[in-house]
């Protein structure tokens, strides 16, 4: 079996790359290979949020471009996938202004009476509420299905097969399938999500990415604590969880639980879901993992995130007394670089490309990174952020200096 281009991985990144190759470049001798159903691994865990606000202009440029592409794809559709600019709302218990250099995009409320009047469910100790308009929520499965449908209609092929090993050959690359078959190509695009590092290793390369297991939980909210029209709302402060003296004593003496006394990062987030449910997430895990096809979930996650959320929405503390049974809980890996920028472009031998490091922003940026990879493949000029996301960027002096100056990685 041969194909000019193989894209390993039909998650949102691989599917978006296939779509852009087929539509922008009419390059359709492309086979998407995935051992699972398309879009069913990390992509299915996405919280479906997007924002074009990032601490660095390169990320802002990428997500803005990605949103433009998504809107272009949506426009002609009779039944477009859901994409709504419902905003993000950052809440802080601190006085110092959040993100001072981005005031143009934000509206800020700091007057305590106004905060209480507009958002009575927030704690009276909240000191500022910052609303970001260029943000919202997106039907990721709908987007992915549309990209896949259009790519297949153009002639891209989809193959369900597990790749046991990738290898370099004289003509290009070879994917050894679990079935024993071999698939060869001149160009290989690695878009294998959390497994991208392993695939690079098989080709003798090291990609600067690591995997971090993160979780989300959907809970019933029978008391209606979270208003149905609340946008995606984020606590912008780090915190220590609120434990009683007795609880603290127990935790201190238990080495398996004492980490619960450490500082937790900013970024806990909540949004209402349908039927009086709420979705909560908090990417607090900072320990790397070797990826697993069945990412484990921590059964304590719901109580940890509820405890953290009670800090700024005190009504949620009522659920700590009797934890509602989660509607569902899921986990997946943030495959990320140290500065939390993606890795997209050529790497190693001629004909090899990667789309990785998509961390917690892969669904909002998929069209952007897919296009960037397709641009690299066809050698056309790239947007200004192309060098920032190049796999060799740490060797570019100017970019390395920009990375060193970053004071936030923007992770949520
Ligand atoms: C809990 C959580 C919440 C998130 N929330 C958001 C959010 O709100 N907004 C946002 O933009 N992003 C979010 N993300 C991030 C986003 O989901 C990911 O960045 C994105 O889905 C990554 O897509 P991908 O295509 O790179 O990887 P994947 O979706 O993992 O796709 C990789 C594919 O490669 C295939 N594959 C791998 N190895 C092999 C092999 N050997 N053989 C065959 N196939 C193989 C896999 O089966 C898989 O389908 C979230 C992530 C998590 C974990």
């Amino acid at each position: 079996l041969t194909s000019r281009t193989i894209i390993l991985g039909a998650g949102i990144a691989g599917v978006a790359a296939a779509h852009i190759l087929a539509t922008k470049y009419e390059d359709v001798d492309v086979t998407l290979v995935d051992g699972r159903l398309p879009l069913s691994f990390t992509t299915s865990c996405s919280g479906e949020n997007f924002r074009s606000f990032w601490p660095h202009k390169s990320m802002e440029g990428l997500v803005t471009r990605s949103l433009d592409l998504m809107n272009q794809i949506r426009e002609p559709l009779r039944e477009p996938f859901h994409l709504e600019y419902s905003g993000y709302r950052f809440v802080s218990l601190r006085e110092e202004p959040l993100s001072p250099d981005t005031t143009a995009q934000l509206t800020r409320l700091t007057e305590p009476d106004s905060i209480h009047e507009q958002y009575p469910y927030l704690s009276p100790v909240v000191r500022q509420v910052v609303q970001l308009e260029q943000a919202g929520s997106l039907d990721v499965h709908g987007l992915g299905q549309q990209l896949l449908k259009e790519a297949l209609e153009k002639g891209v092929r989809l193959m369900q097969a597990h790749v046991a090993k990738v290898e370099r050959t004289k003509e290009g690359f070879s994917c050894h399938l679990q079935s024993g078959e071999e698939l060869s190509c001149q160009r290989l695009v690695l878009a294998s999500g959390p497994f991208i590092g392993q695939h690079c290793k098989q080709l003798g390369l090291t990609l600067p990415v690591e995997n971090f297991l993160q979780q989300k939980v959907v809970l019933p909210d029978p008391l209606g604590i979270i208003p149905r029209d609340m946008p995606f709302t984020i606590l912008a402060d780090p915190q220590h969880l609120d434990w009683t003296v007795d609880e603290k004593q127990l935790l201190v003496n238990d080495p398996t639980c004492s980490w619960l006394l450490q500082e937790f990062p900013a970024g806990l987030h909540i949004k209402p879901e349908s039927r009086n449910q709420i979705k909560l997430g908090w990417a607090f895990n900072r320990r790397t993992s070797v990826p697993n096809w069945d990412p484990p979930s921590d059964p304590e996650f719901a109580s940890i995130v509820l405890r953290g959320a009670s800090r700024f929405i005190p009504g949620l503390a009522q659920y700590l007394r009797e934890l509602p049974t989660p509607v569902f809980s899921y986990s997946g890996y943030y495959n990320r670089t140290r500065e939390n920028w993606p890795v997209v472009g050529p790497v190693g031998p001629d004909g090899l490309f990667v789309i990785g490091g998509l961390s917690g922003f892969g669904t909002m940026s998929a069209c952007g990174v897919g296009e960037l990879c397709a641009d690299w493949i066809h050698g056309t000029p790239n947007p200004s952020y192309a060098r920032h996301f190049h796999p060799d960027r740490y060797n570019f002096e100017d970019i390395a200096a920009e990375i060193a100056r970053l004071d936030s990685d923007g992770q949520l």
Side-chain angles (χ1 to χ4, degrees), residues 8-15 33-50 88 138 140 161-164 191-195 199 212 214-216 232 293 330-335 355-365:
L8 173 49
I12 195 74
V15 167
V33 183
D34 203 304
R36 303 168 51 116
L37 287 175
L39 312 166
S40 69
F41 197 45
T42 320
T43 299
S44 68
C45 297
S46 174
E48 312 209 297
N49 306 299
F50 69 82
Y88 274 21
L138 153 79
V140 172
H162 181 81
V163 174
S192 43
F195 296 98
H199 290 127
F212 298 83
Q214 306 296 359
Q215 216 168 316
K216 295 239 173 184
F232 185 64
W293 283 105
Y330 50 88
S331 44
Y333 299 98
Y334 279 15
N335 177 257
I355 313 179
L358 299 182
S359 185
F361 53 78
T363 51
M364 66 180 95
S365 65

Side-chain angles (χ1 to χ4, degrees), residues 5-9 13-14 17-18 21 30-31 173 185 187-192 196 345 351-355 373-374 377:
T5 304
I6 289 176
I7 301 179
L8 173 49
L21 281 172
V30 173
T31 306
F173 303 90
C185 59
R187 273 189 217 127
L188 177 62
V189 178
L190 298 176
S192 43
I196 195 167
L352 182 65
F353 300 85
V354 288
I355 313 179
C373 185
I377 288 173

